Structure formats: structure tokens, C-alpha cells
């Protein structure tokens, strides 16, 4: 079929060309501010990167964001899916409300949380803390990474709940009835029937979310700009800093290569842990 | 009913609380949109204020807001369309034409979804700078297309893979080329998947900010082999010594305001094999599920062993159910499937293994214990489903059309095996079917249902020889009973003379009771009770002759226009278009009054009260 070959080629090109270029630039001295000073520098950019305390910190932050958001969205998402699968009054509307955050742009949701909810003076959370007699917290300076995790988890929770809800609805009702006849109460039903049934859907959620969470950017950019210090800088933000704040294409590319390696390590891990679920 | 309502209210409260909590930030943003600049930063935040539209007016007055808005729509929709055009052939190739390494490739591609934004920002930036796409919205559209492409390819790939193989193979047998397969089978069949993929892609690009931010010039645009059970040795099956009786009194069930079961009263004796039959939709399954406890009883009482059990949860009723679709747990092995209920009941591991081994030996499932349901044949799955019921040693077995998914010969075998199982286990069984041969051959007692009401209850031969009404007469027996119109000429004591439409008369031995001279009645004659003779009660032309070897069915068009079915000997010489006369023995005929009710026969058939169980040598 004539369309097939070009499509596959395009896809490969897309994967390989930028990758090759990134690799190439990572061995170059290349600063946009000083374009004439240009040439092969061997591992100098990598040396710079490895000695930059920001790298280890930002890799750590990246993994923390991915890990925590996954734990929160998958566990709460499963519970939400079971809850919203029940028959109750106004189910349709309640489901829409629950899913709504997914449709809010990350920049916008970051602004809502930053200026209206987590603001130390006029935020709703401060107000609630004060009305029970506690000190308000300046979230973005005292717990910057946790704050970002909360915002990102809030955005991705509906996605996880929605996919898992769809999967629960696909569960053969006779199987649930058979389990009821076998004496399964709500808990046994949840752990022995629903969770195993959801294994595949959970894998899909973990897979898709991971890919996006590895590259969280807008939330950090809008709220903490990676600070204070490097407290909330992840790999994406670090590279952004090199490339567009310091115009150092060489260092940014070396950071890009590290990001690619990290993504592939995480992906390889996911494949071993999860891919067999998805293929089954 | 009250319990269900209370539960629903609690769930409503919980779900709404959660939904509102999750939605709160968006609500708050909406609210803040109507506050003045001063109120927006008031401490404490104000819930009550005079709403103002000034913020909306301000946005409206900014010409660039709409430009950005259109840019967002243009970029997100455009990039999604582009991504689909490239991804469809690509996913198709990957799903069906790429070797075993597909999975690895896919995952690698997926990881590139994580890397582009961070890892390949620079080259893309430089390439775009050199070809002059940097400050153009179209450039952004291309970036978004490429960013979303891997995820679109991957989702389409999974949806294509879900299209049943048989459909594609049938297509290939019909001569579909890959192109036809793609356009006429895969795309239409995976349309819902494509729609959700597009939606996801649009949302993802709509939400994307990284690229536009780093794109100078643009800002924030945003079942059994036979013989299984003969091996069953009686001593080895735990015999029940308890009694299991079920009594229904005036049971009703409605779904919403539709009444499905309209007052059913029935007693089921210990160790009885009861079969519910009736046409599709008459409520057989519903009645069974009411007994099982899977549906709540709207009105009336259910007694199990004399205890009112309307509100006893299903697992506590001492019943086991075998579902039509088997409802096996796909992720558990055969052994685990059978042990599941025991495990939930905290039965020890050794005990569980013992019981599963026993059931497996009885059902000849031993070599299959470690397989998953999907690796079994239909008949084997059926046996696992029964095994799952056996391990629980229930008082009553409930079966809902358990054989309907099996082929004809397997069905006959399983029918025999189930009857034998009933004899061996000495358990009460309730069995739903719409196959009247299953009903006749297996039942101690048949319950005939129609539109939520019991038409008649009795032994198979009682229903056959003494049907209560036209419905039961027509439903039991195969082929169907023939019905002939007639008029009563002389009701006497012990016989009623009936003149048929064709002119001949017959004296039927029934109690005259309510029938008067001149009343319109229906004469019922079963096909096996007609004899072909020269001087017949009825004459007609043979339209079709069906020779089955042992017997021959004749379809005869009577001179009065009625179509009749006649069972003749296998070597009957009758041929198509012959004119034949039909004769019947009056003692074999049934008479129904104008309202369809049977007029009781004067003599009861000697076997009508026969209970098969009576001949069973219970030890
Ligand atoms: N949950 C439900 N809600 C509303 N109506 C229902 C429900 N379950 C069953 N019904 C209706 O009740 C009637 C009886 O259904 P039931 O499943 O008992 O039929 P059945 O006798 O088992 O038929 P079949 O031989 O086709 O299995 C049908 O008209 C069906 O539409
Ligand atoms: Mg049914």
C-alpha cells in the first residue's frame, strides 16, 4: 500500500533525526550568544552537566513527581472509578464535574492553584487553616515539590478515573454476580475481581501518564519557576534553563541526551513490568 | 427496597461530595472571574460579593485574546488531523505487517514522546529556524503533530488489534486487499476508538504550552467428554443429609413500573429437579435470580428450608448458580476458579485443595487444573462452571440455560450427565431452559411460565397428557399439537360430541362441565396420535413429506384449510400431493373451551403422576 511506507519512514525519521542531532550538538561548543565560537569539544558538555549539582537534583525531582503522581492518581482513580460506577442520583452530572480538571490547560490550573487556592494570604487553603486556628503555609516556598505534585495529580486524577471507569463498565456483570454468589463482599469484590480486571487499564494509565509526567513543564514554569533554588526543578525545566535562559545549546543537548536515557530506562522498566499486561 | 434506597442515598452523598471537592478549584476560578480586582485578593477570600463583568469586558477588549484563541483551535485541530492522516497507515502497518519486534519499537517510540519536548528541543528549534517556520503558527502545528504522533499511533494500533481476527480473515476470504481491509473493516470497526484518540490528541495539543513558549514569536497559544460422571463413585461425593426445600408465595418483581413477575407461588421439594420453561422474555431468568438473591423481590415471600429469606444475601442462601455464559474468572486458573468461594469463606488451603481435587476428578478436569479459562473448550468451561458449584456443596443448584452455548451432540451428553449428577449428589436443582426436550427429559417437575405467570406445574407426562390450556398444550410436545375448530353437538355425561369444520363428528371422553350445546371449541390432536387411513375424520392434501428414517412427518393441508402435522411410520408409503384421510383415537384427543382452558379428561393417564425420583433406589 503506497501510504504505508512513507508513514513508517516519517515516524522513524521523526524519532531518529532529532535524536541524532541532539547527540551531535551535545559534543559541540555552541552558544547562541556567541555563534562564532563553534566546534568539537568532546565530553566537555557532559562534564559540565555531571558537575552541575542541578542534574542529580533534577533527575531526583523528575522521578519524585512521576512516582507520587502515579501513586496518587492510580489509587484514588481506582476508588473513584468504583464509586462513580455505582447507581446514584445525578450520576451523569457528577461524573462530568469529576472529569472537568482534565480539560483545564496546565498553565491555567497552575494559576488557579497558585493565586486562588494555595496563596499564603488570600488563598482558600490558608483561609481554611486559619479558621481552625492554624498558621497559613506558603506552599510554594515551604513545600514547592509537594505543591507541584498536588497540582499535577489533580489534573491527571480525572484521566485515570475515566479510563478505569470505562474498564469497570466493561466488566461482565455475570462475573460480579458469580462472585456475589461465591460470597464476595465489597472488599473481596474489589481486590479479587475488580482490581485484576483493571490490571490492563491500570497499565495503560501508568504508561500514558508516565510519558507526560516525565516532561511536566508548564506547572513548574507558572508556579515556582524551578525554585526556590533547585527545589522544584525537574529535567525538563533544567534543559529549558540551559537552552533558553543561558542559550547554551551544547549543554542543553547534553541534558537532552540524559533525558532520553532516563526516559528509556523508565520505559524499559515499564515494559518489563507492564507491557505483557497490555499485549495480553 | 428500603435498603437499596438507603444505600443509593449514601452513595449519592459520597459521590457528590467527592465530585464537588474535585471540581472546587474550577468553580472558584469561575467565581473569581466575576470579582473586581480588589475583591479577588481580599483576605479572607469573599464568597459573597457583587458580581461584575469587568474582567470579561477587559478580555474582550484585548484584540489578541481572540487571535490566541483561534491560534489554539487552528493548531490543536490541524495537528490532530495531520497526526491521524500519518498515523492510520502507520498503525495499520505496525499492527499487521511488522514482525515480532513491533512491541519494542512501539515502546521506544513512546519514550520519544517523553523526550521530544526536553531532549530534542534544540534540533527542532534549529531546523525550524533554518527553514523559516519559527514564527509561523503552521510551524507550531507541525511540532504538535510530531509530538502527538507516537501516542496516536500507539492508541490506533491497540484499537486495530482489538478488531476480531475472524472478521479480518473473513474479509480476506472475500478477497479484500490490505487497502480494502483498512478502509472497509478496520476503520469503520474502530471508529469509536479513533474518535476518542482524536479527542485526546486535541486536548493534549490544546493544553500544550512548552512548545509555544519556546517558539519565539508566539506566546502561550495555547465446556464434557461423555462418560465423565459414570466414573463418579458414590462414596466419594459428600452426600447431603440436610433437607432443601424452597417455597415461593405470591412473588412479584417489577423493574421500574414494568411488572415482570406477576405473582408466582410455587413449592419445590427436597431433591427435586425442577425445570422452568417458557418462551423468551417470560421471566425465567428473573425468577431464578430472585431465588438466588441477585435481584430484590418486590413483593411476596421466599422461604428456603422454611426460613423467610427475602433479605438474606446471595452467598448466605446455601445456593450455587451456574451461569449461561459460565462467568469464569478469566485471570484465574481452573483450580483457582473452583476454589474462589472457599477462599472467600476462609477455608484452609489443604481443605480447598482436597475439595477442588474431588470435584476435578468427578468432572474429569484434573489435567486442566492449571489452565486459564481462555485455554479451554466450551464443554470444558461448562464443566469448570459446574465444578465451581459442586465444591460449595450447596443445598440447591441453580442453572440458567447452562447448555445453550454447546453444540447439539455435546448438549445431549451433558443433559445425561446432569441428570446423573442430580442422582449422585441428591441435591435440589432448579434449571432454566427454553428447550422443551431438556425440560421433558430432565425434570421431575416442570414449571411452564408465560409473561410472568405460571401456566401450569406438573410432571413432564402430566403436562403432556393433561395440559391445562392451549398455551401449555402447544408449548409441550414436539412437533406442536394440532388444533382444529369445532362445535359441541351433544354434551353427555363422560363424552362430548364435537362436529369439526369438515363435517365429521367425534365423541371426546371429557367431563362436559361448563360446555353447552353449540359452543365453539378447539380439538387438540398431537402429531403422533394421528393415523393415516382411507376413511378419515379429516381429509387433506400432503404438502411436504419429511423422512427422518425412523419416522416420517407429513404436513397436510386439510380441506377446511387448517395446516396439520402428522407423525407416520418411517416406511410410510405416502408421497407429496397424495390425498389422505386422518384418524385419531378419541381418548388421545384434547378439548379446549372458547377461552382456551382445557376441559378435563374423564380418565387420567396412568403415568401422569409418575415421579422419576420414586423409582430411584435411594440408599
Ligand atoms: N434489569 C432489568 N430491567 C428491566 N427489565 C428487565 C431486567 N431484567 C429483565 N427484564 C425484562 O424482564 C423480562 C423477563 O426477562 P428474563 O431475562 O427473565 O427472560 P427469560 O425468560 O429468561 O428469557 P430468555 O429465554 O430469553 O433468557 C424481559 O422482558 C426483560 O426485558
Ligand atoms: Mg434467560
Amino acid at each position: 500500500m503506497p501510504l504505508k511506507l512513507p508513514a513508517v519512514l516519517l515516524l522513524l525519521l521523526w524519532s531518529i533525526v532529532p535524536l541524532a542531532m541532539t547527540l551531535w550538538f551535545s559534543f559541540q561548543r555552541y552558544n547562541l550568544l556567541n555563534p562564532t565560537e563553534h566546534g568539537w569539544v568532546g565530553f566537555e558538555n557532559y562534564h559540565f552537566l555531571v558537575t552541575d549539582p542541578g542534574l542529580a537534583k533534577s533527575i531526583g525531582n523528575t522521578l519524585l513527581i512521576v512516582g507520587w503522581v502515579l501513586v496518587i492518581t492510580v489509587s484514588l482513580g481506582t476508588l473513584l472509578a468504583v464509586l462513580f460506577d455505582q447507581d446514584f442520583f445525578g450520576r451523569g452530572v457528577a461524573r462530568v464535574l469529576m472529569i472537568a480538571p482534565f480539560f483545564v490547560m496546565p498553565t491555567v490550573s497552575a494559576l488557579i492553584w497558585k493565586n486562588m487556592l494555595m496563596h499564603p494570604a488570600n488563598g482558600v487553603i490558608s483561609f481554611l487553616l486559619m479558621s481552625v486556628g492554624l498558621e497559613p503555609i506558603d506552599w510554594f516556598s515551604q513545600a514547592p515539590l509537594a505543591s507541584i505534585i498536588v497540582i499535577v495529580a489533580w489534573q491527571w486524577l480525572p484521566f485515570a478515573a475515566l479510563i478505569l471507569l470505562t474498564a469497570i463498565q466493561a466488566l461482565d456483570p455475570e462475573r460480579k454476580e458469580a462472585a456475589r454468589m461465591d460470597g464476595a463482599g465489597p472488599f473481596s469484590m474489589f481486590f479479587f475481581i475488580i482490581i485484576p480486571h483493571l490490571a490492563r487499564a491500570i497499565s495503560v494509565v501508568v504508561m500514558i501518564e508516565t510519558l507526560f509526567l516525565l516532561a511536566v513543564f508548564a506547572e513548574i514554569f507558572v508556579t515556582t519557576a524551578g525554585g526556590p533554588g533547585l527545589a522544584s526543578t525537574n529535567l525538563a525545566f533544567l534543559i529549558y534553563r540551559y537552552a533558553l535562559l543561558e542559550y547554551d545549546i551544547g549543554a542543553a543537548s547534553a541534558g537532552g541526551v540524559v533525558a532520553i536515557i532516563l526516559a528509556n530506562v523508565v520505559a524499559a522498566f515499564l515494559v518489563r513490568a507492564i507491557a505483557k499486561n497490555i499485549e495480553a | 427496597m428500603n435498603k437499596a434506597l438507603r444505600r443509593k442515598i449514601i452513595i449519592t452523598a459520597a459521590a457528590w461530595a467527592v465530585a464537588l471537592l474535585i471540581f472546587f478549584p474550577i468553580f472558584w476560578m469561575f467565581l473569581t472571574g466575576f470579582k473586581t480586582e480588589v475583591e479577588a485578593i481580599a483576605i479572607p477570600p469573599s464568597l459573597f460579593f457583587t458580581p461584575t463583568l469587568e474582567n470579561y469586558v477587559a478580555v474582550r477588549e484585548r484584540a489578541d485574546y481572540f487571535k490566541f484563541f483561534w491560534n489554539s483551535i487552528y493548531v490543536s485541530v490541524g495537528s490532530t488531523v495531520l497526526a491521524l492522516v500519518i498515523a492510520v497507515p502507520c498503525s495499520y502497518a505496525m499492527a499487521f505487517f511488522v514482525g515480532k519486534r513491533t512491541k519494542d519499537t512501539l515502546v521506544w517510540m513512546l519514550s520519544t514522546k517523553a523526550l521530544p519536548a526536553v531532549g530534542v528541543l534544540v534540533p527542532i528549534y534549529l531546523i525550524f529556524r533554518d527553514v523559516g517556520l519559527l514564527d509561523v503558527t503552521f510551524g507550531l502545528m507541525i511540532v504538535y503533530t510530531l509530538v502527538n504522533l507516537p501516542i496516536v499511533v500507539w492508541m490506533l494500533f491497540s484499537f486495530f488489534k482489538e478488531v476480531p481476527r475472524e472478521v479480518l480473515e473473513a474479509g480476506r476470504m472475500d478477497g479484500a486487499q490490505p487497502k480494502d481491509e483498512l478502509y472497509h473493516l478496520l476503520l469503520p470497526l474502530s471508529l469509536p476508538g479513533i474518535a476518542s484518540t482524536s479527542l485526546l490528541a486535541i486536548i493534549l495539543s490544546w493544553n500544550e504550552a512548552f512548545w509555544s513558549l519556546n517558539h519565539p514569536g508566539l506566546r502561550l497559544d495555547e465446556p464434557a467428554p461423555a462418560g465423565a460422571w459414570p466414573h463418579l463413585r458414590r462414596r466419594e461425593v459428600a452426600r447431603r443429609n440436610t433437607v432443601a426445600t424452597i417455597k415461593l408465595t405470591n412473588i412479584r418483581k417489577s423493574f421500574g413500573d414494568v411488572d415482570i413477575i406477576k405473582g408466582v407461588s410455587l413449592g419445590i421439594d427436597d431433591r427435586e429437579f425442577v425445570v422452568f420453561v417458557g418462551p423468551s422474555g417470560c421471566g425465567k431468568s428473573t425468577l431464578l435470580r430472585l431465588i438466588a438473591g441477585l435481584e430484590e423481590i418486590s413483593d411476596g415471600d421466599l422461604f428456603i428450608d422454611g426460613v423467610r429469606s427475602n433479605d438474606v444475601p446471595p452467598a448466605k442462601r446455601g445456593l450455587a448458580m451456574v451461569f449461561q455464559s459460565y462467568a469464569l474468572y478469566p485471570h484465574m486458573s481452573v483450580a483457582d476458579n473452583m476454589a474462589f468461594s472457599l477462599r472467600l469463606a476462609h477455608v484452609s488451603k489443604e481443605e480447598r485443595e482436597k475439595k477442588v481435587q474431588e470435584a476435578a476428578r468427578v468432572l474429569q478436569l484434573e489435567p486442566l487444573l492449571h489452565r486459564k479459562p481462555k485455554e479451554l473448550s466450551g464443554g470444558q468451561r461448562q464443566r469448570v462452571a459446574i465444578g465451581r458449584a459442586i465444591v460449595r456443596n450447596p443445598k440447591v443448584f441453580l442453572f440458567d440455560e447452562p447448555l445453550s452455548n454447546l453444540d447439539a451432540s455435546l448438549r445431549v451428553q451433558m443433559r445425561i450427565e446432569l441428570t446423573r449428577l442430580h442422582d449422585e449428589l441428591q441435591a435440589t436443582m432448579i434449571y432454566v431452559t427454553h428447550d422443551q426436550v431438556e425440560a421433558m427429559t430432565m425434570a421431575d417437575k416442570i414449571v411452564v411460565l408465560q409473561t410472568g405467570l405460571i401456566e401450569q406445574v406438573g410432571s413432564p407426562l402430566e403436562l403432556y397428557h393433561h395440559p391445562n390450556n392451549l398455551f401449555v398444550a402447544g408449548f409441550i410436545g414436539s412437533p406442536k399439537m394440532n388444533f382444529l375448530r369445532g362445535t359441541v353437538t351433544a354434551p353427555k355425561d363422560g363424552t362430548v360430541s364435537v362436529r369439526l369444520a369438515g363435517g365429521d363428528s367425534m365423541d371426546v371422553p371429557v367431563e362436559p362441565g361448563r360446555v353447552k350445546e353449540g359452543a365453539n371449541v378447539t380439538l387438540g390432536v398431537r402429531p403422533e396420535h394421528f393415523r393415516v387411513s382411507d376413511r378419515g375424520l379429516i381429509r387433506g392434501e400432503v404438502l411436504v413429506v419429511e423422512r427422518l428414517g425412523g419416522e416420517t412427518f407429513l404436513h397436510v393441508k386439510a380441506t377446511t384449510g387448517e395446516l396439520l402435522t402428522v407423525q407416520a411410520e418411517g416406511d410410510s408409503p405416502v408421497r407429496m400431493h397424495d390425498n389422505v384421510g386422518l384418524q385419531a383415537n378419541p381418548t388421545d384427543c384434547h378439548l379446549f373451551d372458547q377461552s382456551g382452558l382445557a376441559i378435563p379428561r374423564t380418565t387420567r393417564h396412568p403415568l401422569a403422576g409418575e415421579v422419576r425420583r420414586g423409582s430411584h433406589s435411594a440408599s
Side-chain angles (χ1 to χ4, degrees):
Chain A
M1 206 177 55
L3 270 175
K4 223 161 54 196
L5 200 64
V8 175
L9 278 180
L10 193 62
L11 205 64
L12 284 179
L13 270 180
W14 163 244
S15 307
I16 288 169
V17 169
L19 181 69
M21 284 181 73
T22 302
L23 210 58
W24 167 258
F25 283 121
S26 70
F27 294 103
Q28 299 281 321
R29 167 170 303 134
Y30 190 177
N31 192 309
L32 287 179
L33 292 177
N34 198 352
T36 49
E37 199 189 313
H38 199 181
W40 185 262
V41 290
F43 285 92
E44 197 182 282
N45 288 322
Y46 288 95
H47 185 255
F48 167 77
L49 200 63
V50 173
T51 51
D52 182 345
L55 182 71
K57 180 80 185 159
S58 61
I59 291 182
N61 284 340
T62 305
L63 295 178
L64 279 173
I65 293 176
V66 174
W68 276 110
V69 173
L70 280 180
V71 168
I72 295 171
T73 55
V74 170
S75 54
L76 289 182
T78 312
L79 292 174
L80 280 179
V82 172
L83 181 62
F84 282 81
D85 178 51
Q86 311 291 319
D87 183 28
F88 61 85
F89 298 109
R91 185 167 69 172
V93 178
R95 281 184 183 172
V96 170
L97 293 185
M98 187 265 294
I99 288 159
F102 191 56
F103 298 92
V104 177
M105 295 176 184
T107 41
V108 175
S109 66
L111 286 169
I112 299 176
W113 283 88
K114 182 186 182 191
N115 295 332
M116 303 175 198
L117 302 176
M118 290 176 147
H119 195 281
N122 59 38
V124 176
I125 296 179
S126 299
F127 169 70
L128 291 177
L129 285 177
M130 284 192 296
S131 49
V132 294
L134 294 172
E135 279 293 299
I137 297 171
D138 184 0
W139 295 98
F140 291 104
S141 53
Q142 290 172 21
L145 198 61
S147 305
I148 285 168
I149 289 173
V150 167
I151 297 174
V152 177
W154 176 73
Q155 289 180 69
W156 284 95
L157 182 59
F159 173 78
L162 189 63
I163 302 271
L164 296 174
L165 178 62
T166 320
I168 285 184
Q169 287 172 333
L171 178 60
D172 172 12
E174 281 200 350
R175 214 187 297 154
K176 279 196 247 179
E177 289 172 349
R180 267 178 78 198
M181 297 290 298
D182 281 348
F187 288 98
S188 310
M189 185 79 90
F190 185 75
F191 287 108
F192 294 118
I193 306 297
I194 292 180
I195 295 279
H197 171 77
L198 287 181
R200 183 185 140 106
I202 289 179
S203 312
V204 170
V205 168
V206 168
M207 200 93 168
I208 293 184
E209 282 194 10
T210 305
L211 300 168
F212 284 90
L213 297 177
L214 278 168
V216 165
F217 178 81
E219 294 84 349
I220 299 176
F221 180 79
V222 171
T223 57
T224 64
L230 291 168
S232 58
T233 297
N234 67 352
L235 208 48
F237 203 82
L238 185 76
I239 297 167
Y240 163 79
R241 223 175 213 182
Y242 289 148
L244 287 123
L245 297 182
E246 293 164 20
Y247 298 99
D248 189 342
I249 300 262
S253 297
V257 171
V258 171
I260 291 167
I261 293 171
L262 182 71
N264 280 281
V265 169
V266 173
F269 172 77
L270 283 180
V271 175
R272 295 192 50 168
I274 278 168
K276 59 175 193 292
N277 265 331
I278 292 178
E279 283 283 297
Chain B
M1 194 66 213
N2 248 338
K3 218 166 97 191
L5 192 67
R6 216 172 60 213
R7 181 186 135 94
K8 191 167 170 178
I9 288 172
I10 292 173
I11 292 176
T12 304
W16 271 94
V18 171
L20 290 176
L21 188 67
I22 293 177
F23 188 72
F24 178 79
I26 298 174
F27 164 76
W28 195 251
M29 167 177 77
F30 182 76
L31 212 62
T32 308
F34 293 106
K35 290 180 177 177
T36 61
E37 249 174 273
V38 178
E39 273 171 335
I41 55 166
I43 307 172
S46 51
L47 195 52
F48 302 102
F49 57 91
T50 334
T52 167
L53 285 176
E54 71 180 37
N55 299 313
Y56 288 87
V57 173
V59 167
R60 216 185 91 95
E61 280 166 359
R62 284 190 56 167
D64 51 0
Y65 180 83
F66 290 95
K67 180 176 173 296
F68 294 156
F69 189 80
W70 285 114
N71 278 343
S72 282
I73 289 185
Y74 171 70
V75 169
S76 51
V77 174
S79 65
T80 301
V81 170
L82 256 174
L84 279 178
V85 167
I86 300 171
V88 164
C90 192
S91 323
Y92 177 56
M94 305 234 320
F96 301 102
F97 297 100
V98 176
K100 278 194 282 184
R101 312 198 69 84
T102 312
K103 193 170 72 186
D104 305 342
T105 320
L106 259 180
V107 171
W108 192 74
M109 271 179 29
L110 269 172
S111 65
T112 61
K113 168 69 189 108
L115 72 85
V118 294
V120 291
L121 171 70
V122 175
I124 293 198
Y125 175 79
L126 294 174
I127 295 172
F128 274 41
R129 188 189 64 182
D130 295 346
V131 296
L133 281 175
L134 257 196
D135 294 342
V136 201
T137 329
F138 180 65
L140 201 57
M141 197 166 102
I142 292 189
V143 177
Y144 282 14
T145 305
L146 296 175
V147 169
N148 283 335
L149 198 54
I151 208 137
V152 171
V153 169
W154 181 64
M155 285 185 66
L156 289 181
F157 170 86
S158 335
F159 287 123
F160 286 173
K161 278 288 197 193
E162 271 173 25
V163 172
R165 263 186 101 91
E166 295 80 11
V167 172
L168 300 179
E169 284 166 355
R172 247 167 257 164
M173 297 296 293
D174 285 345
Q177 298 299 313
K179 180 162 63 77
D180 309 319
E181 187 173 279
L182 177 62
Y183 292 124
H184 300 298
L185 296 175
L186 282 172
L187 288 184
L189 286 174
S190 39
L191 212 54
I194 294 175
S196 50
T197 308
S198 313
L199 193 65
L200 185 71
I202 289 180
I203 293 170
L204 290 176
S205 1
W206 179 265
N207 287 353
E208 180 64 62
F210 184 85
W211 287 99
S212 48
L213 189 65
N214 298 306
H215 212 75
L218 294 166
R219 289 252 143 146
L220 281 176
D221 295 7
E222 327 230 347
W229 287 321
H231 297 277
L232 182 143
R233 277 167 292 172
R234 292 184 178 199
R235 269 180 297 118
E236 287 172 357
V237 176
R239 280 281 180 91
R240 276 182 331 103
N241 291 314
T242 52
V243 185
T245 62
I246 290 177
K247 190 158 157 250
L248 307 165
T249 51
N250 209 15
I251 294 280
R252 291 170 184 278
K253 174 69 186 174
S254 36
F255 291 107
D257 48 10
V258 191
D259 295 341
I260 300 298
I261 302 294
K262 303 166 185 164
V264 166
S265 300
L266 179 68
I268 295 171
D269 293 337
D270 184 36
R271 300 169 197 205
E272 202 166 29
F273 197 123
V274 176
V275 175
F276 294 171
V277 279
S280 188
C282 67
K284 306 179 292 286
S285 300
T286 306
L287 196 55
L288 195 73
R289 293 162 57 82
L290 289 171
I291 296 173
L294 293 170
E295 298 282 359
E296 218 171 323
I297 296 171
S298 304
D299 195 16
D301 300 309
L302 166 72
F303 297 92
I304 299 177
D305 280 346
V307 180
R308 187 173 182 277
S309 305
N310 287 38
D311 302 319
V312 177
K316 297 261 159 66
R317 296 191 181 191
L319 316 172
M321 183 148 169
V322 177
F323 291 83
Q324 179 174 0
S325 70
Y326 314 145
L328 300 181
Y329 309 121
H331 51 288
M332 297 181 195
S333 68
V334 167
D336 291 343
N337 259 282
M338 295 203 283
F340 187 59
S341 61
L342 302 177
R343 187 166 151 205
L344 291 175
H346 304 290
V347 173
S348 74
K349 197 165 183 230
E350 301 88 70
E351 181 83 349
R352 276 186 341 230
E353 269 169 14
K354 213 179 98 215
K355 290 202 168 172
V356 167
Q357 280 297 334
E358 239 171 57
R361 196 178 44 242
V362 167
L363 298 170
Q364 289 201 336
L365 283 169
E366 286 151 307
L368 307 176
L369 278 177
H370 297 288
R371 297 225 195 139
K372 291 275 176 71
K374 66 172 186 234
E375 300 157 346
L376 301 177
S377 72
Q380 291 165 337
R381 284 178 206 184
Q382 171 64 63
R383 280 184 284 153
V384 177
I386 294 172
R388 223 168 53 176
I390 290 181
V391 294
R392 300 178 53 193
N393 198 16
K395 291 193 263 193
V396 181
F397 283 88
L398 306 175
F399 295 93
D400 191 354
E401 307 205 25
L403 307 186
S404 61
N405 287 344
L406 304 181
D407 72 34
S409 67
L410 201 52
R411 218 154 49 206
V412 174
Q413 288 171 12
M414 291 300 291
R415 215 165 72 199
I416 297 167
E417 304 305 345
L418 276 172
T419 310
R420 186 170 280 138
L421 185 73
H422 175 238
D423 181 52
E424 293 297 338
L425 296 177
Q426 296 280 296
T428 308
M429 292 187 174
I430 307 179
Y431 187 102
V432 167
T433 181
H434 55 241
D435 181 331
Q436 57 103 8
V437 177
E438 274 174 32
M440 293 296 283
T441 53
M442 297 168 83
D444 292 320
K445 181 149 102 190
I446 297 181
V447 177
V448 183
L449 289 162
Q450 193 194 11
T451 60
L453 284 172
I454 294 185
E455 290 287 344
Q456 193 172 359
V457 178
S459 70
L461 289 185
E462 178 165 354
L463 298 193
Y464 180 85
H465 291 293
H466 301 285
N468 271 350
N469 52 41
L470 281 172
F471 177 78
V472 176
F475 197 78
I476 300 291
S478 168
K480 245 177 91 122
M481 188 186 277
N482 297 294
F483 296 121
L484 298 155
R485 287 174 315 246
T487 333
V488 175
T489 50
K492 291 190 295 269
D493 213 22
T495 55
V496 170
S497 290
V498 176
R499 200 179 58 236
L500 298 178
D504 282 301
S505 284
M506 181 184 232
D507 293 340
V508 187
V510 296
E511 308 281 357
R514 348 178 258 293
V515 286
K516 303 246 159 48
E517 185 165 344
N520 287 322
V521 288
T522 305
L523 182 75
V525 188
R526 295 196 183 275
E528 52 271 40
H529 294 144
F530 268 132
R531 282 189 319 272
V532 177
S533 69
D534 297 337
R535 303 179 305 102
L537 179 66
I538 305 156
R539 301 207 63 86
E541 185 195 346
V542 177
L543 294 182
V544 175
V545 179
E546 291 178 322
R547 296 194 180 277
L548 301 183
E551 64 223 355
T552 305
F553 290 113
L554 310 175
H555 297 271
V556 178
K557 187 174 173 150
T559 46
T560 54
E562 285 146 326
L563 275 174
L564 306 176
T565 311
V566 177
Q567 181 179 342
E569 304 82 66
D571 44 11
S572 166
V574 177
R575 285 189 292 177
M576 269 168 85
H577 305 303
D578 281 359
N579 258 304
V580 293
L582 299 175
Q583 196 58 273
N585 205 334
T587 52
D588 289 331
C589 296
H590 304 258
L591 205 58
F592 303 92
D593 67 13
Q594 215 158 357
S595 59
L597 290 181
I599 304 166
R601 304 172 101 175
T602 38
T603 45
R604 275 186 69 80
H605 191 277
L607 290 177
E610 178 77 349
V611 177
R612 190 184 40 188
R613 205 159 37 89
S615 64
H616 173 71
S617 52
S619 43

